[in-house]
Amino acid sequence: MKNIKESQSALVNDTCTDCGSYADIGAVIDEHDTLLTVTLSGSDAQEKAQTLSDKAKNRFEDVESEIKIENEMVTLLIRFAFSAEKMIFQLENSI
């Protein structure tokens, strides 16, 4: 256990002596991580991007999105009000 504590980051507070799985949640979630970037390709990429954008706006308030098209790549940028909303949206949509 001593070796584990010595090798971990100062941001991690690992206090579980049985499993070593406790981590300070602030080390995992950054409160400013509110921008989700999704890159899509294929003939229906723009449609998929618009669908995801609409889902985010319907699910959460104060969501802003932008779709960028460059060559054959479509990039969707979704800015959430809170990082927790971003994480929930990613989990719900398997992103």
Side-chain angles (χ1 to χ4, degrees):
M1 189 66 186
K2 184 178 179 183
N3 290 339
I4 293 172
K5 286 186 178 186
E6 289 174 358
S7 66
Q8 69 190 10
S9 165
L11 297 174
V12 175
N13 180 10
D14 189 348
T15 58
C16 180
T17 57
D18 294 326
C19 61
S21 64
Y22 174 82
D24 201 0
I25 198 67
V28 179
I29 301 171
D30 178 2
E31 66 179 298
H32 304 291
D33 183 18
T34 58
L35 179 64
L36 174 62
T37 304
V38 180
T39 304
L40 303 161
S41 61
S43 60
D44 60 345
Q46 191 171 355
E47 182 181 326
K48 286 181 181 178
Q50 188 61 55
T51 299
L52 281 173
S53 173
D54 292 343
K55 279 185 180 181
K57 289 178 180 179
N58 289 331
R59 178 69 167 90
F60 301 103
E61 294 181 16
D62 301 323
V63 171
E64 299 173 5
S65 69
E66 179 182 357
I67 297 173
K68 295 181 179 181
I69 303 168
E70 196 171 313
N71 298 326
E72 294 182 20
M73 300 300 290
V74 176
T75 302
L76 170 63
L77 304 169
I78 305 174
R79 181 158 312 272
F80 295 89
F82 303 99
S83 59
E85 291 176 346
K86 175 188 169 192
M87 292 177 63
I88 292 166
F89 186 76
Q90 288 175 289
L91 289 169
E92 288 177 343
N93 293 281
S94 301
I95 299 174

